[in-house]
Amino acid sequence: MADVDGSWDCTVKSPLGDQNLTLTVQSAGDTFTGTAAGAMGSGDVEGTVSGNTLSWKLQMTVPMPMTLDCEATAEGDTLTGTVGAGAFGSFPLSGKRTG
């Protein structure tokens, strides 16, 4: 099991307030699949793994359709990273492993 695998309880600090997100990761070599679920909806995610860093895109429909560029690095049971929202800038992401 890679250091990135598991279920992560994440918070994204956005201009709309804290957005909670549960990210589930199953890595296989330099890629991963999983799910992301939060107040803005849920869906399957897939991305790349480089060391302990995950990179993925998240399709969002609420409050408007956009693609978020996400990157986060796992250190032990802590996940830290950023969520890029195009013209809206970049927001910090933090999380703790819950499973």
Side-chain angles (χ1 to χ4, degrees), residues 8-71:
W8 299 89
D9 186 8
C10 303
T11 302
V12 178
K13 301 275 188 195
S14 85
L16 303 174
D18 289 0
Q19 305 293 320
N20 294 317
L21 176 73
T22 301
L23 180 67
T24 306
V25 174
Q26 177 63 54
S27 64
D30 60 358
T31 62
F32 80 91
T33 57
T35 58
M40 296 180 284
S42 64
D44 294 336
V45 293
E46 58 183 35
T48 59
V49 180
S50 175
N52 288 347
T53 300
L54 300 169
S55 300
W56 73 100
K57 291 187 184 306
L58 191 57
Q59 300 296 329
M60 187 176 105
T61 56
V62 178
M64 68 190 73
M66 70 169 54
T67 301
L68 303 177
D69 288 306
C70 308
E71 184 173 287

